[in-house]
Amino acid sequence: MYILPAIDIKDRRCVRLLKGDFATVHQVAEDPLETARSFQEAGAEWIHMVDLDGAKTGKRINGDIFEKVAAESGLKVELGGGIRSMDTLEEYFSKGVSRCILGSAALKNPEFVREAVKRYGYRIAVGIDALNGQVAAEGWLEVSEISYIELARRMEDIGVQTLIFTDISKDGTLSGPNLEQLDALSQAVSCNVIASGGIREVGDIKRLKERRLYGAICGKSLYSGTLDLAEAIHTACIPADGMDLERFFVKSPLVPAVVQEESTGQVLMLAYMNLGALRRTVETGTTWFWSRSRREYWNKGATSGHFQRVVSLTGDCDNDTLLVRVNQTGAACHTGAHSCFFNVIL
């Protein structure tokens, strides 16, 4: 599970809000770039950034700040707030932003989301912010009559691969994430889910990891000191206590891993894991393999965006073959086919 430390920008300052209320804005750090660099030094790979001015106005307000962080921090930037056009997406992506979040547009302009996904694929995420289960928009200033589950399903149908869910009532409160709503969302869609809002301490990270979520966004907990970023990242990555993974590599340092789609039972691909790849798979919740030709680890979907979210891992009776059941995002095969097994013999 990825830990994404958060920086929100308003009036060019690093700030946090309480429950999305702009009247509660307060500065939490001095310099966005230096703050991002401190996150990178703690072990973060991603940073979650929001243009609060853009969220209110629907315009690209603080773009130069985000572009500088993307270019100089060493972090992958996930950015939301005020992204309403293909031109804005193109500008951010061309300047090094890794993933853009569409929020209000998902509710008010789904065709724009469809067009964005068609062009940029996995680099598009949708932020679903809810109050009492109903989706809010326009910087959380408007609350709709659409449930967060319904919007999530609509976005999945469009092809969105990553959802960022925030329970507004939890945001900035340090009262713990809304596990009930996150469970319901994970069961309703096969998208990668990133949890946001309410995270206070490392126990919350453990509870989110147990749910095999793709990521967790941490903001106020880091600035208030209730959560240590390095500890959170370590906790999100360590395998379950007492898990004996070495037993699968007694006969050989490499074992075949059969990847099967959980929903249909279709066999998607065959690859090989060594102990390191299996550990990474357990730690991240996505599939990792060892390339025998390149002699290096590879994370399925890291280039294409077609990640495999692990549902279960099973060893055979002889402990020398692995069965990996996954929720497949996009095509599993490099040819573009959903499964690698399409050459009919008999």
Side-chain angles (χ1 to χ4, degrees), residues 203-236:
D204 292 325
I205 302 300
K206 292 178 181 177
R207 285 182 279 275
L208 294 172
K209 177 180 169 60
E210 289 169 357
R211 286 160 170 79
R212 295 189 176 276
L213 298 186
Y214 174 80
I217 294 169
C218 304
K220 187 173 182 179
S221 58
L222 300 178
Y223 297 111
S224 65
T226 63
L227 180 68
D228 178 78
L229 179 57
E231 182 183 13
I233 292 169
H234 176 70
T235 300

Side-chain angles (χ1 to χ4, degrees), residues 122-134:
Y122 68 95
R123 301 184 73 181
I124 300 297
V126 164
I128 299 181
D129 308 322
L131 188 63
N132 298 321
Q134 305 304 116

Side-chain angles (χ1 to χ4, degrees), residues 16 26 70 92 109 136 183 209 211 217 328 334:
R16 299 301 295 168
H26 63 283
Y92 278 138
N109 190 2
D183 284 342
K209 177 180 169 60
R211 286 160 170 79
I217 294 169
Q328 172 70 51
H334 73 281

Side-chain angles (χ1 to χ4, degrees), residues 7-290:
I7 295 180
D8 294 351
I9 303 295
K10 187 178 189 304
D11 301 324
R12 305 190 68 77
R13 299 182 300 153
C14 303
V15 304
R16 299 301 295 168
L17 307 181
L18 178 64
K19 299 183 180 181
D21 184 353
F22 281 82
T24 66
V25 65
H26 63 283
Q27 186 168 349
V28 293
E30 291 294 330
D31 181 79
L33 179 58
E34 289 307 311
T35 303
R37 283 173 172 163
S38 71
F39 293 155
Q40 194 272 339
E41 290 171 1
E45 297 180 45
W46 283 87
I47 185 170
H48 174 85
M49 303 192 77
V50 177
D51 186 347
L52 291 175
D53 297 307
K56 286 187 70 175
T57 65
K59 299 178 181 179
R60 183 173 172 272
I61 302 296
N62 299 295
D64 61 310
I65 293 176
F66 309 121
E67 292 161 7
K68 188 173 185 179
V69 171
E72 301 181 26
S73 69
L75 294 170
K76 298 175 184 178
V77 174
E78 172 184 273
L79 175 63
I83 301 174
R84 307 282 199 275
S85 71
M86 296 299 291
D87 288 342
T88 301
L89 286 172
E90 175 60 31
E91 183 71 16
Y92 278 138
F93 287 142
S94 68
K95 295 297 179 60
V97 171
S98 295
R99 183 160 59 213
C100 282
I101 308 163
L102 306 182
S104 299
L107 185 65
K108 299 189 172 185
N109 190 2
E111 286 306 313
F112 167 52
V113 180
R114 189 185 303 276
E115 181 183 0
V117 170
K118 184 177 180 180
R119 182 177 300 185
Y120 297 110
Y122 68 95
R123 301 184 73 181
I124 300 297
V126 164
I128 299 181
D129 308 322
L131 188 63
N132 298 321
Q134 305 304 116
V135 177
E138 304 298 338
W140 299 354
L141 300 176
E142 300 177 10
V143 179
S144 73
E145 296 182 356
I146 299 176
S147 77
Y148 73 102
I149 294 292
E150 174 59 27
L151 184 60
R153 286 172 171 157
R154 292 181 187 179
M155 294 301 102
E156 181 182 36
D157 289 342
I158 285 175
V160 173
Q161 298 176 19
T162 301
L163 301 175
I164 299 164
F165 176 72
T166 305
D167 175 3
I168 296 172
S169 70
K170 294 281 190 177
D171 189 68
T173 66
L174 301 179
S175 60
N178 192 324
L179 299 177
E180 182 180 351
Q181 290 187 346
L182 285 166
D183 284 342
L185 180 59
S186 295
Q187 293 168 13
V189 297
S190 62
C191 307
N192 294 323
V193 175
I194 298 176
S196 174
I199 294 171
R200 174 184 176 83
E201 41 87 25
V202 72
D204 292 325
I205 302 300
K206 292 178 181 177
R207 285 182 279 275
L208 294 172
K209 177 180 169 60
E210 289 169 357
R211 286 160 170 79
R212 295 189 176 276
L213 298 186
Y214 174 80
I217 294 169
C218 304
K220 187 173 182 179
S221 58
L222 300 178
Y223 297 111
S224 65
T226 63
L227 180 68
D228 178 78
L229 179 57
E231 182 183 13
I233 292 169
H234 176 70
T235 300
C237 291
I238 59 174
D241 293 340
M243 188 177 292
D244 178 17
L245 303 181
E246 288 85 353
R247 70 184 187 274
F248 298 108
F249 304 95
V250 173
K251 299 177 183 178
S252 171
L254 280 179
V255 299
V258 179
V259 182
Q260 180 186 42
E261 189 159 40
E262 171 69 13
S263 60
T264 64
Q266 183 181 21
V267 175
L268 299 176
M269 58 182 286
L270 172 69
Y272 287 83
M273 289 186 181
N274 59 13
L275 180 57
L278 181 56
R279 281 178 172 160
R280 293 180 186 211
T281 298
V282 171
E283 290 166 0
T284 65
T286 61
T287 53
W288 284 80
F289 305 103
W290 177 257

